[in-house]
Amino acid sequence: MGNVVTVMWYQHMQTEDCHMQRWCENAKALQTLFNTTTTIISNDDRVKEFCPRARILDTGLDSMFREYEIYVKRFANAPAQLYMHRVYLHKIAVLNPNFFAGPVIFLDTDVDISIGKAERHQFLDMKKVNALFQKFLLSTCRLQATADHSALLNSGVMLVKPDEQMYKTALGILETNRFNYTHGFEFKGLPKEVIISHPLGMVSKAKGYWANTWQFVGGESDQGLLAYLSMSTGQYCQPSDWSLRVRHFWASDKP
């Protein structure tokens, strides 16, 4: 038994749930393949309109995340141009074994696994998807994801094995504001000083690595924190087969 998970946190936009219908279709297809439970981390039950059988999870941590967001913007040597929103921090819930008893397939709401379509990317071979998922389960890796041009870890598509210690460490960092851009999480240093996961692969091409900085997209938030937690402990890995691709919409192309 596993979990297909996303975050849908309602703010002010009236159209921000327009992409949930497609996400829920993808989750249903994965549920058929892996016998998974669908969970939406959300502050509003209206998402059940699109996923009527989904479990709605409110982490109860939004106030803590708000305080951390205020700290970063005021006191963490933040760059002049900073885009951060606490919503993304709710993704750390996938580390909590009390929320998720089994492995997690995390997909942002703007990710389309293209089931039933063969468009820009290769049509997904679900037998291959299953084989790769089983390989991840048998590995010592606790978090599998890819880097992008900016972030050490793109948290939009992840495979995760929940880990209580990793989750407690994350909460401790956020609750006590142990981060700044010059000394990193727990003030242990810049990326090249803390990353021990090898081989680096795509990570070495990310701005966060080659520029040796936490000033990348989500570097102070979910993407930096999850990278730190997994890469500094040797529990991060990258996909072993790059022939499988999903569509993760970017910038103005986001639905």
Side-chain angles (χ1 to χ4, degrees):
M1 177 70 74
N3 307 271
V4 182
V5 182
T6 197
V7 173
M8 181 67 250
W9 209 260
Y10 286 85
Q11 301 295 327
H12 306 294
M13 296 172 58
Q14 297 299 313
T15 59
E16 60 188 353
D17 58 5
C18 63
H19 44 314
M20 283 303 300
Q21 182 173 351
R22 182 60 176 163
W23 187 92
C24 293
E25 291 171 357
N26 289 331
K28 185 177 181 180
L30 289 171
Q31 184 174 6
T32 300
L33 179 66
F34 297 118
N35 190 29
T36 53
T37 297
T38 298
T39 299
I40 302 173
I41 300 169
S42 183
N43 59 341
D44 198 313
D45 284 345
R46 81 179 90 165
V47 291
K48 277 190 170 288
E49 175 185 345
F50 305 98
C51 294
R53 296 186 179 182
R55 175 178 67 136
I56 309 303
L57 173 65
D58 187 338
T59 64
L61 297 172
D62 198 54
S63 294
M64 180 199 297
F65 297 161
R66 183 183 294 109
E67 292 300 315
Y68 175 75
E69 179 184 39
I70 292 171
Y71 160 76
V72 169
K73 291 180 177 179
R74 290 183 179 177
F75 305 113
N77 302 322
Q81 298 296 322
L82 170 66
Y83 174 77
M84 176 192 172
H85 204 295
R86 67 182 185 277
V87 166
Y88 306 117
L89 287 169
H90 286 280
K91 293 182 184 182
I92 69 167
V94 299
L95 298 173
N96 188 347
N98 293 316
F99 289 155
F100 303 102
V104 171
I105 302 171
F106 184 91
L107 302 171
D108 269 352
T109 57
D110 60 352
V111 169
D112 185 355
I113 64 173
S114 302
I115 292 177
K117 290 185 178 181
E119 297 180 0
R120 185 166 51 184
H121 291 310
Q122 173 185 335
F123 177 74
L124 289 184
D125 181 338
M126 298 309 286
K127 289 184 178 180
K128 184 178 285 189
V129 170
N130 186 41
L132 292 174
F133 185 61
Q134 296 305 318
K135 185 175 181 179
F136 167 72
L137 295 182
L138 294 172
S139 74
T140 58
C141 172
R142 301 212 72 87
L143 194 157
Q144 178 173 298
T146 64
D148 59 32
H149 69 285
S150 178
L152 298 170
L153 181 155
N154 187 308
S155 63
V157 181
M158 300 185 289
L159 298 180
V160 182
K161 298 170 189 170
D163 184 272
E164 184 174 8
Q165 185 54 52
M166 196 178 288
Y167 182 67
K168 287 182 177 179
T169 300
L171 291 185
I173 290 170
L174 297 173
E175 188 173 21
T176 58
N177 300 324
R178 283 182 288 152
F179 169 83
N180 63 42
Y181 287 92
T182 54
H183 295 87
F185 293 96
E186 298 187 292
F187 310 124
K188 289 188 176 180
L190 295 171
K192 289 185 179 181
E193 298 174 271
V194 299
I195 292 175
I196 64 172
S197 292
H198 293 283
L200 289 172
M202 284 186 64
V203 174
S204 64
K205 299 179 181 180
K207 174 189 174 183
Y209 187 81
W210 58 258
N212 197 26
T213 179
W214 292 108
Q215 293 186 33
F216 57 81
V217 177
E220 68 292 306
S221 186
D222 60 309
Q223 299 193 143
L225 180 57
L226 290 169
Y228 169 74
L229 293 169
S230 59
M231 294 181 186
S232 68
T233 56
Q235 298 184 83
Y236 167 80
C237 62
Q238 299 173 74
S240 58
D241 188 329
W242 294 93
S243 65
L244 287 172
R245 294 178 177 270
V246 299
R247 287 176 292 175
H248 189 182
F249 293 90
W250 184 75
S252 60
D253 288 334
K254 286 182 181 292

